[in-house]
Amino acid sequence: MTERVYLLSEARGLSRDLLGGKGFGLSEMAAAGLPVPPGLVITTEACRQYLRRGAVPGLFEEVRAKMAALEGLTGKRFGLGEGKVPPLLVSVRSGAPVSMPGMMDTVLNLGLTLEGVEALARATENPRFAWDSFRRLLAMYGEVVLGERAEVFEGMLSALKEARGARADAELSAEDLEELAYRYLRHLEARGTPFPMDPWAQLQGAIEAVFRSWNNPRARTYRRIYGIPEDLGTAVVVQAMVFGNLGEDSGTGVGFTRNPATGEKGLYGEYLRNAQGEDVVAGVRTPEPLERLKDYAPTLYEELLQVAGRLERHFRDMQDFEFTVERGRLYLLQTRSGKRTAQAAVRIAVEMAEEGLISKEEAVMRVEANALPGLLRPSVDRDKAPRPFLKGLPASPGAAVGHAVFTNEATERYAAQGLPTVLVRPETTPEDITGMYLAKGILTARGGLTSHAAVVARGLGVPAVVGAEALKVFPEEGRAVAEGVEVREGDLLTLDGGTGEVYLGAVPLVEAAGEALLEKLLAWAEPFRRLGVRANADTPEDARRARAFGAEGIGLCRTEHMFFQEDRIPWVRRLILAETPEEEALALERLFHFQKEDFKEILLAMDGLPVTVRLLDPPLHEFLPPLEELAAKAEGGDEEAKRLLERARAMREANPMLGFRGARLLLLRPAIFRMQLRALLEAARELKEAGHDPRPEVMVPLVADPKEVERARALAEELFQEYGPIPFGTMIETPRAALLAAEIAPLVDFFSFGTNDLTQMAFGLSRDDAGKFLPRYVEEGLFPFDPTERLDEKGVGRLLRMAVEEGRRANPRLKLGLCGEHGGEAGSVRFVADLLDYTSASPFRVLTARLAAAQAGLSLGAPEPA
């Protein structure tokens, strides 16, 4: 039978998938001779067995055997002290193959009992430390294994501090902590979940609890957000405890080999004296920067510098490592590739390649393409900003404006109304993952730059300010107070995660500037990219921005977006109300001039590059005011409102998405078709006569039958005879069009897959309404992800692949693109990279599409660059 438990010294060479990230990192560090406390790893396979069966026969016997070896390595007995030799205590920590910081459970000081406390106090000559360690174990074990809420233990601790007049835990005496420990014990006994005084029972309970934590709500939410598979399981690391709470020559900290917010090379992190590891990441005390060690522990600081360099050279990536100092001696407890902002990811990848640590190809693959829009995040406009009312630590860059909320529930409530929020908390915990994901910004009163709030916000790409110590937060009351200013739920706040400043009200923001390092990374990526990248752009401004980001044309110009301006919408409504050919012609003539001028500007912005113009897609009644508004005006005597109301009622559809729109509208109201195409052709001709190089393409939306395409092509040919032909294509956005691709392909020059509608029709859902159930579907595993955000390869992808193959067979010259919102999502881009000629994305996601396409090219074995 394959072993399920390994000592760290035995685990070298085993995979990260088996050992989990924590166990893998520890085994690698131990093999490299770095100071790692001895320990053992229970594999992810054991976790998967436990989750399937509820038990793993024989596992605990294997654990006991390895624990005997651990006792030999440490010279201590588990849970039992003898004279000056303290008992062996262990930490029990989770460690998934993919980093999930804070999402699963940990128990420290395990093995300690009432008898063990006396032995620990005797061996260390420090009763306060012994009782402090025991009360921590009781609280963690009570929460993680026995199921009590953490707030219960925190409440008892706060009550004792208040009774003793203590501001911090460190001010409580040994006698105070002993009393607190007995309060915890009595509470657990009274609720029917007594704390076990058998160290081996503690160990078994903790291991099984860590296994179960793989499926706790916050871990499931985190996996859903980051697309982590549900079946990986977590390893469990059981490691000899070292203690940072033995006095001022002890402590605990978190270090990064480079700045995770900016990517700047150099030791970066935080340290807490006389503390245990959870104190830093939990954010309950604000630590000091590692640089302060230069002043009072220069030898330790130098050792950390050397460790950081060795870790980075060994793992060839920026490392996030946890450490403890026990009476002046350094121990490493974990290392992993550090979470970083998009800005830092680009800088680290480029600079590591230039340092020779990694290749340029690795640098290209290292950056998460979906994170690149984070580089384009806005900042506060300093010229228009008032004085900030609060200052904290700049934890995750970018600026955010939103309504203050204090709970997950409030964040969800505002998000359901489409309102941006800033989540305000004393400190965040893993339970806050849902609110953090939905919020536009995060603000905490406590915690440092490596606190839970900071790490998770950077990973999510959400601007965050942490450790704003002047802030007092009362979540249950829905309010916070700072410097005499009260903030209540719903009040607008602006925060700048790059400076740590927080403002009352909505402060104007300015867009981010371009990044030279990003341009260098994308220049390295370009030789590997096979897939073209265009932009979805409807205005000259969007077109210019997209071109600056490297778009190679416009793959989708939505003409209806040009009609909603204040001076144009009345003419659309006159078109809708037209009762005679003359009235219709007058309205169309005015709209023609608007469209022609817009087309000229867009074609000019993309001079020399293709611009695919989609003719009118939505139903005409979408250009009318809401029925309720029209009815109110009509009742007030507005004659035009009365006419519009009558027409709106006549045009009203039960399901407009499947109604009189797209090709159906254009073919039955051909004057609209001719007006739009003439405006495009006229704009191109005028530009060409002026010496420019316009390259328009025309596209008909929402076809379901070849006959529709034939009729549309015939209408277009009438104008092509006058102006000359341009590429003519159609959107493939109905399942029937995909199934009949072989019949449609000979009639067109190109297909563009409109995956927004293709997804909705394939799934039988509406994007506008699916928010009521899709999140729960994903949360409960009915769908692996939200198909409106990421292309469904299994179903929609099959339709797409079928249409591509059959369309190309029928028309070998057929050009193929994707223009739905999926065109700027990295996973979707990688799926179509070997299928299509180009993808089209919104301007700010062009960078994502370019990088994702290059990464796909590398994965597919693109030729080496010259």
Side-chain angles (χ1 to χ4, degrees), residues 341-630:
T341 63
Q343 176 188 3
V346 171
R347 180 171 180 177
I348 290 167
V350 170
E351 291 186 352
M352 281 192 165
E354 291 178 334
E355 293 164 16
L357 274 177
I358 60 176
S359 67
K360 290 180 179 179
E361 292 86 345
E362 286 178 289
V364 169
M365 296 299 288
R366 284 272 177 95
V367 176
E368 169 53 51
N370 279 335
L372 290 191
L375 284 176
L376 311 173
R377 280 184 284 172
S379 58
V380 168
D381 187 339
R382 301 288 157 204
D383 295 333
K384 299 176 182 176
R387 285 175 61 94
F389 86 104
L390 184 65
K391 184 81 186 293
L393 302 174
S396 183
V401 178
H403 299 273
V405 291
F406 299 88
T407 64
N408 279 338
E409 294 74 21
T411 313
E412 293 177 280
R413 190 170 67 249
Y414 277 74
Q417 301 173 59
L419 298 173
T421 56
V422 171
L423 179 63
V424 184
R425 299 288 292 162
E427 70 271 346
T428 64
T429 72
E431 303 295 340
D432 294 316
I433 183 65
T434 299
M436 298 175 78
Y437 178 62
L438 291 173
K440 298 297 182 186
I442 296 166
L443 170 64
T444 70
R446 298 195 289 268
L449 295 174
T450 54
S451 65
H452 177 268
V455 171
V456 174
R458 284 195 292 268
L460 290 171
V462 176
V465 174
V466 303
E469 294 185 335
L471 186 68
K472 300 292 182 286
V473 185
F474 307 94
E476 65 285 349
E477 300 174 22
R479 67 185 186 94
V481 179
E483 308 295 348
V485 176
E486 183 175 69
V487 176
R488 289 196 166 273
E489 182 182 306
D491 291 349
L492 281 171
L493 293 177
T494 301
L495 62 82
D496 190 329
T499 65
E501 294 170 325
V502 185
Y503 305 84
L504 289 172
V507 177
L509 307 181
V510 292
E511 291 184 2
E515 275 284 325
L517 288 171
L518 176 59
E519 291 174 9
K520 183 177 286 189
L521 181 78
L522 289 171
W524 293 348
E526 282 301 296
F528 303 104
R529 179 165 65 85
R530 301 173 178 179
L531 187 71
V533 176
R534 300 189 190 182
N536 299 340
D538 315 316
T539 67
E541 181 184 358
D542 279 350
R544 285 188 286 270
R545 181 183 290 119
R547 188 163 191 161
F549 290 154
E552 299 162 320
I554 291 176
L556 178 64
C557 177
R558 293 158 287 207
T559 54
E560 62 272 6
H561 288 189
M562 302 172 180
F563 290 148
F564 284 104
Q565 295 178 30
E566 192 174 339
D567 59 337
R568 303 178 183 193
I569 196 73
W571 288 99
V572 180
R573 291 173 182 168
R574 288 183 69 170
L575 174 65
I576 294 170
L577 289 172
E579 295 178 353
T580 67
E582 292 76 19
E583 289 178 341
E584 180 181 81
L586 178 61
L588 287 171
E589 180 65 19
R590 291 297 298 157
L591 293 173
F592 166 83
H593 288 292
F594 291 136
Q595 292 248 277
K596 188 183 80 168
E597 292 309 310
D598 284 348
F599 288 147
K600 282 182 72 172
E601 288 194 57
I602 291 170
L603 288 166
L604 189 59
M606 283 287 169
D607 201 41
L609 297 175
V611 175
T612 304
V613 173
R614 183 185 73 186
L615 300 182
L616 192 63
D617 186 41
L620 284 177
H621 69 74
E622 286 197 6
F623 296 96
L624 298 177
L627 282 175
E628 299 79 7
E629 181 182 328
L630 284 173

Side-chain angles (χ1 to χ4, degrees), residues 119-132:
L120 187 61
R122 185 171 59 251
T124 59
E125 299 179 348
N126 190 336
R128 188 196 180 282
F129 157 72
W131 285 107
D132 186 42

Side-chain angles (χ1 to χ4, degrees), residues 8-62:
L8 292 176
S9 56
E10 301 169 336
R12 180 73 192 276
L14 298 177
S15 72
R16 183 186 298 271
D17 287 344
L18 189 66
L19 298 177
K22 192 176 276 104
F24 179 81
L26 287 168
S27 67
E28 289 288 309
M29 287 194 293
L34 289 163
V36 174
L40 55 92
V41 184
I42 305 168
T43 66
T44 56
E45 175 55 32
C47 175
R48 289 190 291 270
Q49 289 179 27
Y50 179 85
L51 294 176
R52 284 195 302 266
R53 305 173 188 171
V56 187
L59 176 65
F60 202 61
E61 287 71 19
E62 292 180 49

Side-chain angles (χ1 to χ4, degrees), residues 183-382:
R183 287 186 189 180
Y184 287 177
L185 285 169
R186 287 193 296 271
H187 173 78
L188 291 170
E189 182 80 34
R191 74 188 293 269
T193 53
F195 177 77
M197 289 298 170
D198 177 359
W200 296 103
Q202 292 178 25
L203 183 57
Q204 183 166 356
I207 290 169
E208 291 181 354
V210 172
F211 283 158
R212 291 193 299 273
S213 72
W214 174 255
N215 282 327
N216 71 37
R218 63 179 184 266
R220 292 177 70 91
T221 299
Y222 190 90
R223 290 198 294 275
R224 174 170 56 81
I225 291 170
Y226 286 99
I228 298 170
E230 289 289 325
D231 59 355
L232 296 181
T234 181
V236 179
V237 174
V238 179
Q239 194 172 17
M241 283 293 301
V242 287
F243 299 97
N245 55 336
L246 273 169
E248 290 301 303
D249 61 349
S250 303
T252 186
V254 174
F256 294 86
T257 58
R258 303 190 187 218
N259 188 313
T262 67
E264 181 181 2
K265 187 174 183 179
L267 184 61
Y268 175 89
E270 295 171 322
Y271 184 70
L272 265 178
R273 281 182 273 189
N274 196 19
Q276 276 203 334
E278 291 299 298
D279 294 344
V280 176
V281 294
V284 294
R285 288 168 57 191
T286 300
E288 57 191 8
L290 283 180
E291 285 209 343
R292 289 283 303 278
L293 288 171
K294 289 180 184 177
D295 300 331
Y296 62 83
T299 303
L300 174 60
Y301 184 77
E302 186 60 35
E303 189 177 0
L304 284 169
L305 279 177
Q306 293 174 11
V307 162
R310 290 178 66 183
L311 287 174
E312 208 170 76
R313 287 191 296 274
H314 183 86
F315 290 99
R316 300 170 59 252
D317 195 6
M318 184 267 278
Q319 293 296 290
D320 163 5
F321 62 97
E322 296 177 16
F323 64 93
T324 287
V325 178
E326 181 180 287
R327 289 180 170 165
R329 185 174 176 183
L330 174 66
Y331 295 92
L332 299 177
L333 305 181
Q334 175 172 328
T335 192
R336 60 191 173 198
S337 293
K339 298 286 184 184
R340 62 205 77 180
T341 63
Q343 176 188 3
V346 171
R347 180 171 180 177
I348 290 167
V350 170
E351 291 186 352
M352 281 192 165
E354 291 178 334
E355 293 164 16
L357 274 177
I358 60 176
S359 67
K360 290 180 179 179
E361 292 86 345
E362 286 178 289
V364 169
M365 296 299 288
R366 284 272 177 95
V367 176
E368 169 53 51
N370 279 335
L372 290 191
L375 284 176
L376 311 173
R377 280 184 284 172
S379 58
V380 168
D381 187 339
R382 301 288 157 204

Side-chain angles (χ1 to χ4, degrees), residues 94-136:
S94 61
V98 178
S99 178
M100 296 172 57
M103 295 301 119
M104 289 173 293
D105 290 329
T106 294
V107 180
L108 303 181
N109 306 326
L110 193 130
L112 203 52
T113 62
L114 284 171
E115 182 182 347
V117 171
E118 300 298 333
L120 187 61
R122 185 171 59 251
T124 59
E125 299 179 348
N126 190 336
R128 188 196 180 282
F129 157 72
W131 285 107
D132 186 42
S133 299
F134 191 44
R135 66 95 182 174
R136 289 171 183 266

